[in-house]
Structure formats: structure tokens, C-alpha cells
């Protein structure tokens, strides 16, 4: 087994998932201000450290995606953050793209940037202890979108990123996110997501990326958030599985979904059904940001010193999602 394959499997073993705590300072500021907490480097660290030292980390969270600011911060117990995460038994990871910018030639769409100087930055992150990385491409759905230009250029960037990351002995998370915003049907989401993922793999193969040493982070197949269509959870699970089965090469060890604006319970329930119906060999787990942190953040914002109470809420969500990643979750377990 290759070393990268080993890391990917370790991150997702036994129902473990990934905590996406890699919000950029801009996004984190919006999240904190929405609950009336000032966005200072200390507060950003305090909330994140509260999650990273929770008891569920060892049992449920196989990897944590950090932002550049956090990977260089020192915890209140005087540990470097990546060391703290490794000591707890999880794996530190790092977001390495520099954000989605307007795509010249199709200005309603975005292209993710960050390839310039990436090799040097990767070496630095590796030295800091990172075992894996993340790069997110975003795609909108509407009548003419995503365009061929957006599909091809984002796939190219994801592949160049992945090749560089593997060269530096880390596992790339490949995240092509087809956004939930819009009036589109689930069928349109299915078709566009399939096209996007197939193009990504075409480019990954062209760039000689070892598919056994990546983790795919896709969206689930959902109707747009402004669509009138109501589809059942079973339908979401079936379409998601069908889409991935037909567009992801079998060498890929694991798939970790993003939550993409679903509620906490919805993200858990959908993941659970996906695993109940999963007949593929892919591990199907989670790499959630909002769906792991929302309730904990709301609770914490009322008393920044209530570490234990905040961790209790986070532990519950992490446990529910780890059960869902094994198809063992049920509504009755929610409190
Ligand atoms: P959400 O689960 O909040 O969509 O975030 C996951 C993520 O890492 C987006 O890049």
C-alpha cells in the first residue's frame, strides 16, 4: 500500500470524517459577527482550539482542515496547532488555494487561484506537520452554467494542485463543489455534477496523479435551494450514489462530502442513507464545515469561557456524523 493511500484511509477509517475548520479570515469574520463575537485572532483560535481539544476528536475526526492563520498559531497549552491535532490522534490538513476569483471570459463564474508559488508553500506546510491539503473549485448551475470554460479551467487547476501536493508527500482533497444556490432540479444537479467530476478525473489522470492517494470531496445531489421541487432523502441518496458510481474511478479510496448549506440534521440524515444504500467499495464519509460547527458556535457565542458546554455540542454532532458514515444513525439518537 502506498504511503498516501495509507494516510487517506487513516483519515477516513471506522466512520471517521473530517472537520473543515479552514474558513478564511473573511468567512470566519462573517460567521463570528453573525453571533456577535468580535473576530480577533485570539477569538478565532479560542473557538477552534475548543473544537480541536474535544473528546470526540480521537474517535470521530480523522482529519482537520486548517487555514494558514491557524496552522501557525500556538494553543493556550503552548502547543503548535498541528502538533496538538496529531497528539490527539487526528491528522492536520491545510487549505492551500487562495480563493475563487472572477473567471475572465465568463465573469458570472469563478476560477480558483493559488498555483503560483504553491510548491514552496506546500514544503512549508509539510514542515509544519500537514498530512493533507484542500483545494475547492466552485461551479454555479443555471441555464448556461457551468460553462465548458469553468469546468475545464477548474479541473485543470485541481489537477495541477493535486500533482504538486503528492510530489510533497501529502494527500490532496479534490473538492469540486457544484453549489446548491439556484432554482435547478435535482436532475440538473446530477447531470452537471457528473460532468464536472468526470472532467476532474480526466485531468487528474493526465497530470499523473495517483488516484489511490486522493480524497474526493463532492456535493450531494440536491435540488437547488430556490427550486420548487421536493425530493425525498432516499432519492438524494440514490442519485448521489449513482452519480459517484458512474463518474469516480474505482481506485479512489474515499469520498468525504461537503455540507454545502444543508442543516446539521439534513447533512447527517443524507449521509446515513447514502451509507445504508452504498454498494460501492468507496468509503463515504463527511468533511463538514457548517454542519459540524453551527450549533457549537451559537452556544459558545453566549459565553466564550464555556469550553465544556461547547465541546459537548460539538461531540454530539461529530458522533452523529460518524454513526451516519457507517449507516448506523437514527433520528432517536438526536437530543
Ligand atoms: P461546508 O460543509 O460548510 O460546506 O464546508 C465544507 C468546506 O470545506 C467548503 O470548502
Amino acid at each position: 500500500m502506498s504511503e498516501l493511500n495509507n494516510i487517506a484511509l487513516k483519515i477516513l477509517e471506522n466512520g471517521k470524517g473530517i472537520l473543515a475548520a479552514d474558513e478564511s479570515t473573511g468567512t470566519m469574520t462573517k460567521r463570528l459577527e453573525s453571533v456577535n463575537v468580535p473576530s480577533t485572532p485570539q477569538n478565532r483560535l479560542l473557538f477552534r482550539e475548543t473544537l480541536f481539544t474535544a473528546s470526540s476528536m480521537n474517535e470521530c475526526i480523522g482529519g482537520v482542515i486548517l487555514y494558514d492563520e491557524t496552522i501557525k498559531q500556538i494553543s493556550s497549552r503552548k502547543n503548535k496547532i498541528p502538533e496538538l491535532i496529531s497528539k490527539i490522534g487526528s491528522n492536520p490538513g491545510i487549505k492551500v488555494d487562495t480563493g475563487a476569483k472572477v473567471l475572465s471570459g465568463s465573469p458570472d463564474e469563478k476560477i480558483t487561484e493559488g498555483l503560483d508559488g504553491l510548491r514552496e508553500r506546500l514544503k512549508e506546510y509539510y514542515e509544519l506537520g500537514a498530512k493533507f491539503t484542500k483545494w475547492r473549485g466552485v461551479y454555479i448551475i443555471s441555464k448556461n452554467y457551468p460553462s465548458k470554460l469553468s469546468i475545464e479551467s477548474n479541473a485543470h487547476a485541481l489537477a495541477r494542485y493535486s500533482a504538486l501536493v503528492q510530489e510533497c508527500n501529502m494527500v490532496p482533497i479534490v473538492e469540486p463543489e457544484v453549489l446548491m444556490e439556484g432554482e435547478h432540479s435535482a436532475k440538473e444537479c446530477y447531470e452537471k455534477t457528473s460532468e464536472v467530476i468526470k472532467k476532474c478525473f480526466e485531468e487528474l489522470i493526465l497530470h499523473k496523479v495517483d488516484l489511490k492517494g486522493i480524497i474526493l470531496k463532492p456535493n450531494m445531489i440536491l435540488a437547488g435551494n430556490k427550486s420548487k421541487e421536493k425530493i425525498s432523502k432516499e432519492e438524494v441518496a440514490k442519485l448521489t450514489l449513482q452519480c459517484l458510481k458512474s463518474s469516480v474511478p474505482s481506485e479512489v479510496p474515499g469520498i468525504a462530502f461537503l455540507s454545502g448549506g444543508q442543516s446539521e440534521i439534513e447533512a447527517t440524515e443524507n449521509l446515513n442513507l447514502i451509507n445504508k444504500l452504498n454498494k460501492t467499495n468507496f468509503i463515504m464519509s463527511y468533511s463538514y464545515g457548517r454542519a459540524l460547527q453551527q450549533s457549537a458556535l451559537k452556544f459558545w457565542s453566549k459565553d466564550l469561557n464555556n469550553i465544556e458546554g461547547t465541546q459537548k455540542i460539538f461531540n454530539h454532532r461529530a458522533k452523529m456524523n460518524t454513526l451516519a458514515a457507517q449507516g448506523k444513525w437514527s433520528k432517536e439518537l438526536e437530543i
Side-chain angles (χ1 to χ4, degrees):
M1 195 169 19
S2 78
E3 198 194 325
L4 295 180
N5 181 250
N6 208 4
I7 297 172
L9 291 173
K10 266 237 132 5
I11 293 172
L12 300 178
E13 71 186 358
N14 304 327
K16 284 183 184 177
I18 299 169
L19 165 62
D22 61 323
E23 298 85 357
S24 65
T25 301
T27 302
M28 197 57 189
T29 297
K30 277 189 221 145
R31 302 263 155 89
L32 291 174
E33 286 177 351
S34 75
V35 291
N36 299 315
V37 175
S39 180
T40 60
Q42 292 76 17
N43 282 345
R44 292 194 287 273
L45 177 63
L46 178 57
F47 178 64
R48 286 167 164 159
E49 194 183 335
T50 301
L51 305 186
F52 304 163
T53 50
S55 60
S56 57
M57 280 288 299
N58 175 270
E59 185 194 331
C60 304
I61 305 294
V64 181
I65 318 174
L66 301 166
Y67 183 60
D68 181 72
E69 177 185 67
T70 326
I71 202 169
K72 295 170 180 164
Q73 281 174 317
I74 306 288
S75 79
S76 60
R77 293 169 209 181
K78 306 278 175 267
N79 278 311
K80 289 183 180 154
I81 294 296
E83 279 173 19
L84 179 145
I85 292 168
S86 299
K87 268 193 195 142
I88 283 169
S90 186
N91 291 284
I94 178 78
K95 169 219 206 56
V96 300
D97 67 67
T98 55
K101 308 286 160 59
V102 172
L103 174 60
S104 185
S106 183
D108 290 337
E109 298 185 284
K110 300 265 175 71
I111 175 74
T112 302
E113 295 188 347
L115 289 171
D116 286 354
L118 182 58
R119 184 180 269 126
E120 288 67 37
R121 287 195 292 125
L122 290 172
K123 284 182 188 148
E124 188 192 351
Y125 289 137
Y126 183 82
E127 290 302 317
L128 287 167
K131 297 276 184 288
F132 71 101
T133 65
K134 179 189 116 170
W135 179 291
R136 170 176 174 259
V138 282
Y139 308 82
I140 51 170
I141 302 185
S142 68
K143 194 158 165 274
N144 301 314
Y145 300 136
S147 66
K148 195 163 182 262
L149 178 62
S150 131
I151 294 176
E152 293 197 356
S153 52
N154 275 298
H156 175 81
L158 275 162
R160 283 191 55 201
Y161 140 82
S162 300
L164 284 165
V165 170
Q166 290 194 336
E167 183 188 289
C168 286
N169 296 314
M170 294 182 282
V171 169
I173 294 191
V174 176
E175 180 179 12
E177 175 174 9
V178 179
L179 295 171
M180 194 208 270
E181 278 72 38
E183 295 174 2
H184 54 269
S185 63
K187 182 168 174 278
E188 282 170 286
C189 178
Y190 177 94
E191 283 163 4
K192 301 301 178 190
T193 304
S194 304
E195 197 181 338
V196 161
I197 294 179
K198 281 181 187 158
K199 179 53 76 179
C200 284
F201 281 105
E202 211 179 293
E203 287 287 324
L204 288 166
I205 292 165
L206 183 66
H207 287 255
K208 308 216 167 7
V209 172
D210 173 10
L211 299 185
K212 292 193 180 80
I214 72 159
I215 293 173
L216 179 70
K217 174 162 173 168
N219 50 285
M220 294 179 189
I221 304 301
L222 303 163
N225 61 357
K226 296 195 189 87
S227 158
K228 292 191 185 71
E229 186 190 13
K230 288 274 162 284
I231 69 160
S232 66
K233 298 265 181 299
E234 286 73 18
E235 202 61 21
V236 168
K238 275 189 200 154
L239 286 172
T240 303
L241 283 164
Q242 209 176 314
C243 169
L244 295 170
K245 199 177 161 202
S246 60
S247 50
V248 183
S250 58
E251 295 98 303
V252 173
I255 293 174
F257 294 98
L258 57 96
S259 61
Q262 298 180 68
S263 73
E264 289 181 343
I265 305 281
E266 206 181 345
T268 304
E269 195 169 1
N270 283 336
L271 179 64
N272 188 57
L273 268 177
I274 288 172
N275 276 291
K276 278 192 161 210
L277 302 176
N278 183 16
K279 294 203 170 59
T280 69
N281 287 326
F282 301 124
I283 297 173
M284 300 268 185
S285 190
Y286 58 94
S287 175
Y288 291 163
R290 286 161 287 180
L292 268 173
Q293 299 183 56
Q294 238 158 28
S295 299
L297 179 65
K298 214 165 154 193
F299 181 90
W300 176 74
S301 70
K302 300 205 175 78
D303 175 2
L304 307 196
N305 295 316
N306 193 345
I307 306 296
E308 218 175 288
T310 306
Q311 289 181 334
K312 199 170 156 211
I313 292 176
F314 173 71
N315 286 337
H316 176 68
R317 271 296 19 100
K319 280 183 190 148
M320 293 299 103
N321 284 313
T322 283
L323 285 173
Q326 301 165 92
K328 293 180 182 166
W329 173 87
S330 70
K331 247 196 187 103
E332 296 72 52
L333 297 169
E334 295 290 345
I335 32 173

